Amino acid sequence: MARPKIALIGAGQIGGTLAHLAAVKELGDVVLFDIAEGAPQGKALDIAESGPSGKFDGSFKGTNDYADIAGADVCIVTAGVPRKPGMSRDDLLGINLKVMKAVGEGIKEHAPDAFVICITNPLDAMVWALREFSGLPHNKVCGMAGVLDSARFRHFLAEEFKVSMRDVTAFVLGGHGDTMVPLTRYSTVAGIPLPDLVDMGWTTQDKLDAIVQRTRDGGAEIVGLLKTGSAFYAPATSAIEMAESFLKDQKRVLPCAAHVDGAYGLDGFYVGVPTVIGAGGVERVVEIKMNKDEQAMFDKSVDAVKGLVSACKEIDPSLA
Ligand SMILES: NC(=O)c1ccc[n+]([C@@H]2O[C@H](COP(=O)([O-])OP(=O)(O)OC[C@H]3O[C@@H](n4cnc5c(N)ncnc54)[C@H](O)[C@@H]3O)[C@@H](O)[C@H]2O)c1
Ligand SMILES: O=C(O)C[C@H](O)C(=O)O
């Protein structure tokens, strides 16, 4: 049976890391596309040359021609610009919207059957725009953010509790911005919800609140340290988790920016929610019960994303 084809649109920091992870995990043949000449070709060749020592096989091609993504099973989109210290993700909207138009049209023409995972920021508005420009079915286009934000939350919690990260679960929902919603009641250590762990004396409410805020600021913390770009190891690992669930029909329950139509009182809108990802793409949106405070935080986050989508429509009237 032929190996799956994985097209990576954008061969920068995340694109290169995605290619390496896909190679090491032998998820399929990789095509790295970028408008920059030489970068995708150089990274693809470098990864191919690591195969003998890394003990993996596969085909790795770098390209500046969309025709090379033809027939891709998965497209992961990182094309665009990352933020610098002092900027918010939302400051990238105008420049990255133009990139989404070019990428959406490229995918529409050459890989219309692919499962598309958008990573470019500001994430929720960009995945919405990418879906509009590509015209692909909504269940085949989603965004990566919740897996990353939840992984950050899990890491901070594991450090606080001095337990394995594997035994910590977490759900961070809403938009991938300052208003994201880390849900403490739905986050656990070995099945024990965080509020119970506070009652058990494992931590204090103040410490938990600080961890929630550090999670919300997780992207900015890395930007402040790197100074020249944003996080790429954890974002790439998160998107690969989603791609693997699709390619292997694992039906993982993962938070991602999905098209929500009916659930959560939303009427056809992209925002971070728990989903089931399998061979059908986003196969299900999982609607969890929220209490009044959680709902208020989620609504605020949805409103922030709505503002960004309106800004996209103003910049590009073809989206209105
Ligand atoms: N969703 C998330 O959780 C998350 C996490 C980290 C980063 N990001 C976002 O991902 C994006 C990429 O981050 P990065 O660190 O890989 O940036 P990067 O600058 O290293 O790479 C971006 C690449 O996109 C390419 N590019 C620009 N315009 C293009 C076009 N029209 N077509 C194809 N390629 C094009 C550039 O040449 C560059 O190689 C940024 O917008 C960043 O904010 C999102
Ligand atoms: O923070 C950023 O700008 C990149 C990304 O959204 C992240 O959360 O790491």
Side-chain angles (χ1 to χ4, degrees), residues 21-259:
L21 286 172
V24 170
K25 291 169 90 64
E26 290 193 312
L27 290 184
D29 291 338
V30 174
V31 175
L32 258 174
F33 172 94
D34 203 293
I35 48 166
E37 286 178 19
Q41 291 85 352
K43 288 192 181 184
L45 181 59
D46 191 15
I47 289 169
E49 290 170 353
S50 71
S53 306
K55 298 180 181 55
F56 57 79
D57 285 303
S59 147
F60 305 95
K61 184 180 175 70
T63 183
N64 308 112
D65 184 352
Y66 268 112
D68 286 321
I69 74 165
D73 299 287
V74 171
C75 290
I76 308 181
V77 178
T78 61
V81 176
R83 63 172 156 160
K84 295 196 169 66
M87 292 171 78
S88 91
R89 297 177 182 94
D90 301 352
D91 296 335
L92 304 170
L93 187 134
I95 187 161
N96 284 346
L97 183 62
K98 290 195 192 88
V99 176
M100 290 305 100
K101 186 173 170 66
V103 174
E105 289 169 357
I107 292 174
K108 180 182 193 167
E109 186 174 349
H110 298 284
D113 297 324
F115 177 53
V116 179
I117 301 169
C118 179
I119 301 185
T120 304
N121 272 322
L123 189 270
D124 306 86
M126 292 302 102
V127 66
W128 171 81
L130 184 63
R131 208 303 308 172
E132 294 293 311
F133 289 130
S134 69
L136 266 61
H138 287 103
N139 62 310
K140 298 296 283 294
V141 182
C142 66
M144 187 294 294
V147 176
L148 170 65
D149 298 325
S150 302
R152 286 180 173 146
F153 196 24
R154 290 168 66 190
H155 166 64
F156 300 145
L157 290 167
E159 265 194 332
E160 167 65 6
F161 295 133
K162 297 181 181 54
V163 298
S164 165
M165 289 190 260
R166 276 177 285 201
D167 293 324
V168 183
T169 67
F171 265 132
V172 180
L173 307 185
H176 180 58
D178 299 340
T179 59
M180 71 178 74
V181 187
L183 287 175
T184 53
R185 282 194 317 132
Y186 286 100
S187 303
T188 74
V189 174
I192 308 165
L194 298 183
D196 291 3
L197 290 163
V198 173
D199 290 344
M200 288 157 62
W202 277 42
T203 188
T204 62
Q205 189 59 48
D206 283 352
K207 281 187 182 168
L208 184 54
D209 291 345
I211 288 172
V212 164
Q213 193 52 43
R214 189 176 177 196
T215 301
R216 289 201 181 102
D217 297 337
E221 184 176 359
I222 304 272
V223 169
L225 290 166
L226 293 180
K227 296 182 184 68
T228 54
S230 51
F232 52 101
Y233 293 114
T237 310
S238 303
I240 288 290
E241 197 174 8
M242 293 166 65
E244 193 170 13
S245 189
F246 167 76
L247 288 168
K248 299 183 178 170
D249 194 22
Q250 289 172 332
K251 303 198 189 297
R252 299 280 314 279
V253 181
L254 298 170
C256 74
H259 186 252

Side-chain angles (χ1 to χ4, degrees), residues 290-312:
M290 293 194 208
N291 64 28
K292 229 173 116 196
D293 290 347
E294 292 160 347
Q295 189 67 51
M297 284 193 285
F298 186 77
D299 291 347
K300 186 175 166 200
S301 197
V302 167
D303 284 346
V305 178
K306 280 186 177 164
L308 295 176
V309 168
S310 298
C312 289

